[in-house]
Every structure is written in C-alpha cells, then in structure tokens.
Amino acid sequence: MCGRYSLFTSTGELRERFDAETTRPIEARYNCAPGQHLPVITSAEPNKFQFMKWGLVPPWSNDAKVGSKLINARAETVREKRSFADAYESRRCLVPADGFYEWAKAGSGKQPYRVAFEDDRPFAIAGLWERWTPSTKQTGLSEFDGGNPAREAKPLETFTVITTEPNDLISELHNRMAVILAPDEEETWLHGDADDARSLLDTYPDDGLTAYPVSTRVNSPANDAPDLVEPVHI
C-alpha cells in the first residue's frame, strides 16, 4: 500500500523535470494524503499539471465515497479489475513525488519511514485517472431544472497510485511499494499500448534510494510541515 507521499520540489523544477506547465504554483506538500487534490499529468494533457482528488471513482460508481477504498491499484491485477480496467487502457497518469512513506512494525506500534532518492530528486509514480459525474438523483436536480448551467453537476476527477512487489530496501518495511517509473518510461506509460505499459509495472531497484525513519506526526494528514521529512533517531 502507498498511502502517503511528499512533493516539496519547487514549481519551477517540476515544470522543467516534467516539461509541463501549470496555471498555479504547486504548493510544497510534505504529507500528501488520500482525499486531497494533488498534481498529476495525464495521458489526455501530457504538457499540463492538473489537480485531481486522490482516490479513484469509476464513472459507473453510484457514490464518490468509493474513492477512499481505491487509493491504490495492484499491478498484478490492474488490467482485470473492473474499477481500474478502463482507466488502464486509456487514462493513465504520472503522479509526481519526491518521496513516499511506508510504515514498519516496531514493538506494539508502527514506525513511519520516508523512501526517496538520496538527492531528493522528483520522480513519477504510475497512476490511473477517471472523471466521474454525479447523477441527477445525487445532485438533487430534476427534469424541471432544464439543464440550468448554474446547477449542473460538476464532474469529479480522481486518481489512484499503482503498487507492486517491494525491492530489497522496502521489503524490510512493507510488502508493497509504489511503481516508480524511470524518466525514459514515462512517455510509454502515458501513450503506449496496454502490453507495453504492463512491462513497466515492475519493481524499481533500490539503487540510489534511501529509507529513513521520520516523525510519527506524519501519521495524521492534518500535519504538513518541513520537519516531517527530517530523519529521527529511534
């Protein structure tokens, strides 16, 4: 499971790294969490950062609350699962990050660790995105509203993060890890066919990666400050 990540790389560096523009500054985030609107780069608009809610809501879903259960998709089954299959075929995305958190068992509790490249450079996690529009019943609109634009339901755009088997470094902490894409794989992930994309859902080697313990304050999404990414002694 990948349930938290960081993205505090500057907007300018992100623009250069991903060759994408944004209509607003990308706020430094040290504790990105499900339910938040976060920057992604989609197959539909690969030259633009878009802000989507973390937790995928399939277009056929009756309730947007299902997104809280679909923050991750398993690489091994993403092509077959109904919730993800359509998005895998045609709505893939890059999820920019500069680190992610995993929790390891420690005594009677769990200790959070941050996993990142040693130089804290940004990278892309493989993701999927969807656009969900509430039904008339859900919004309270009726046929008598006559399609009033002021009252039309607004679509919700959401994404999920794909996970796979861990490398040696992360296996000491958890039994899953986010799918990290190498820079030269990102174009294929966005625009390649389904078979080519599947070949990218492998385990990223631990070369250049580091994992270190951080404050348990990261456990709460309400905490989002630079000290969360600082190492602690345990």
Side-chain angles (χ1 to χ4, degrees), residues 2-223:
C2 177
R4 302 288 175 78
Y5 63 90
S6 63
L7 182 63
F8 54 84
T9 304
S10 70
T11 299
E13 187 176 348
L14 289 172
R15 283 172 174 162
E16 182 176 355
R17 164 62 178 79
F18 292 101
D19 193 23
E21 292 299 321
T22 180
T23 56
R24 59 175 173 172
I26 297 175
E27 180 182 1
R29 301 296 302 274
Y30 302 89
N31 195 11
C32 300
Q36 298 174 350
H37 284 77
L38 301 163
V40 301
I41 297 172
T42 70
S43 50
E45 297 188 75
N47 299 318
K48 177 183 177 182
F49 288 99
Q50 299 181 70
F51 291 81
M52 297 186 178
K53 187 176 182 180
W54 186 4
L56 190 134
V57 181
W60 44 262
S61 177
N62 292 322
D63 194 335
K65 292 179 181 179
V66 71
S68 65
K69 300 178 181 179
L70 299 176
I71 66 170
N72 290 162
R74 294 176 66 92
E76 297 87 344
T77 57
V78 67
R79 294 184 72 172
E80 291 78 35
K81 292 287 186 179
R82 183 188 179 203
S83 296
F84 307 121
D86 287 346
Y88 176 80
E89 290 294 329
S90 57
R91 287 178 293 281
R92 302 181 209 124
C93 66
L94 308 178
V95 181
D98 46 35
F100 57 90
Y101 300 99
E102 296 292 356
W103 278 256
K105 292 182 179 179
S108 59
K110 291 187 176 182
Q111 171 62 49
Y113 284 75
R114 181 170 180 262
V115 180
F117 284 99
E118 294 174 352
D119 59 1
D120 265 337
R121 67 180 181 269
F123 55 90
I125 298 173
L128 307 173
W129 70 279
E130 281 286 12
R131 181 179 290 118
W132 178 82
T133 303
S135 67
T136 299
K137 181 178 179 181
Q138 291 163 325
T139 59
L141 296 177
S142 72
E143 59 182 323
F144 301 106
D145 288 298
N148 183 351
R151 298 198 61 195
E152 286 180 356
K154 293 183 178 180
L156 174 66
E157 293 182 323
T158 61
F159 73 95
T160 191
V161 165
I162 301 180
T163 66
T164 189
E165 295 290 325
N167 58 30
D168 290 342
L169 175 70
I170 298 173
S171 65
E172 299 294 323
L173 309 174
H174 200 269
N175 61 2
R176 304 292 294 176
M177 69 174 286
V179 172
I180 299 174
L181 297 169
D184 62 1
E185 295 176 333
E186 294 167 6
E187 176 71 17
T188 301
W189 175 249
L190 289 180
H191 303 297
D193 64 30
D195 290 334
D196 288 339
R198 178 65 187 86
S199 68
L200 306 180
L201 299 180
D202 52 2
T203 300
Y204 195 90
D206 53 15
D207 298 344
L209 289 174
T210 184
Y212 59 88
V214 294
S215 170
T216 54
R217 291 183 63 244
V218 79
N219 293 355
S220 172
N223 298 323

